[in-house]
Structures are given as structure tokens and as C-alpha cells.
Amino acid sequence: METVQRILVVDDDPVVLKLISSILGKSYDTDVAEIAAAAKDLLAARAYSLMLTDIQMPGETGEALIRFVRTAFPQTAVVVVSCVSETREAKHLIELGVYGYIVKPFTTHQILIATENALKRRELEMRRELDRKTLETAVNAKTATLATALNDLKQANQEMVELVSG
């Protein structure tokens, strides 16, 4: 049985929180936070597949929250939902590692498409990391086997030299 993925929505506007939560709540387990500090508490308490966050919020900014999540919870994908529509800002945040950038006002389809895309990309990146670790383990095991065989050959060679010399 497939488990429902958890999504955290962070925005200082209660209307936006309710709207996004209702859009995503049909298919996902969603939690909401109006400030970054509350979001951090939720992140510490539960694992999230995705966080959708605003950038301009009172207190800690969305960018600072994104930096925190990328460091403390790197397996949580992040999508920005903001009224800031400057290309430079979006590019800057994408360089920080966000999986998408939605400009307010948004449509239901934009939220759903960005969410599906981010979750799929996250899944692929996690699978790639698992494959990398599996391959690294296999290479290390083969390297250790080859090192042992090389050692055995060196020892056998040394014994042959001693036999011939002796």
C-alpha cells in the first residue's frame, strides 16, 4: 500500500494557506504554518516530501527557511509560491535548489503540476542517490577483493623468490 506524501505549506496569508491546503488536501497529507518558526517546528516533528513556501513573510524570510530546509532536511523538496515575479529572484532561488517557482495569483493547475513535478523529481533524485550508494558499495567490495588477491599474489611471488634463492 502506497503511503500518502506529506506536504508543508508556509505562507503568512491565511487565505493562501487555506486555498493551497484545500487544493493539495485531496491527494496529500498537508500541514500549514504562517511563519518560518512554526514551519521549523513542524519539520522537526514530521518528515515532509515537499514544502511550498512564500518568500516575503514577517520574521524569518522564505529564503532563510529554504536555506535551512536544504541543509537540515535535504530530502524535502521545496517549491516557492510568491507574489515576487522578478526573473532574477526566481533564478536566484532556483540556484538555491528549489524545485519550482509559482507566481501569485496562481491557478489550481499550477499548484498541482508544480507539486507533481517536484515530487517526481525528488523521487528520481532519491533513487539516483540510492543507486550511487549501492554502486559505491559494490566498487568498494570489489576493490577490497582485488587488494586481497594482489596481496596474495605478492606473498606467493615472494615465497617463490625465496624458494628459488634458497
Side-chain angles (χ1 to χ4, degrees):
M1 183 172 160
E2 190 174 315
T3 59
V4 176
Q5 296 192 60
R6 290 186 184 127
I7 298 176
L8 176 59
V9 183
V10 187
D11 198 299
D12 60 321
D13 185 341
V15 174
V16 172
L17 283 179
K18 186 175 181 178
L19 180 58
I20 294 175
S21 183
S22 69
I23 291 169
L24 297 176
K26 295 171 185 154
S27 302
Y28 306 99
D29 181 10
T30 60
D31 290 326
V32 297
E34 290 188 13
I35 58 173
K40 287 180 176 181
D41 290 342
L42 289 168
L43 286 158
R46 299 177 79 179
Y48 290 93
S49 301
L50 175 64
M51 179 180 74
L52 284 88
T53 186
D54 192 6
I55 294 301
Q56 298 175 333
M57 297 183 290
E60 189 174 356
T61 66
E63 180 178 339
L65 178 60
I66 291 166
R67 288 180 187 278
F68 170 77
V69 169
R70 297 299 300 146
T71 301
F73 304 96
Q75 292 187 338
T76 300
V78 178
V79 170
V80 172
V81 182
S82 177
C83 61
V84 177
S85 61
E86 296 174 18
T87 305
R88 188 180 66 207
E89 178 69 14
K91 183 178 178 192
H92 167 70
L93 292 170
I94 288 170
E95 288 171 355
L96 283 181
V98 300
Y99 285 48
Y101 194 103
I102 301 170
V103 178
K104 297 175 188 173
F106 51 79
T107 66
T108 297
H109 295 299
Q110 287 172 313
I111 295 293
L112 291 173
I113 290 168
T115 297
E116 283 297 318
N117 183 54
L119 291 172
K120 187 63 168 174
R121 178 177 156 195
R122 174 185 174 268
E123 177 187 328
L124 292 170
E125 287 177 356
M126 289 175 67
R127 188 178 306 146
R128 182 184 68 202
E129 180 63 17
L130 178 61
D131 290 346
R132 186 194 64 74
K133 286 180 180 177
T134 301
L135 181 60
E136 185 177 295
T137 300
V139 166
N140 288 340
K142 292 289 184 188
T143 301
T145 301
L146 288 172
T148 300
L150 181 59
N151 239 2
D152 291 348
L153 285 172
K154 284 180 182 178
Q155 187 176 0
N157 189 37
Q158 182 64 33
E159 289 171 4
M160 291 289 281
V161 168
E162 289 172 5
L163 261 171
V164 171
S165 310

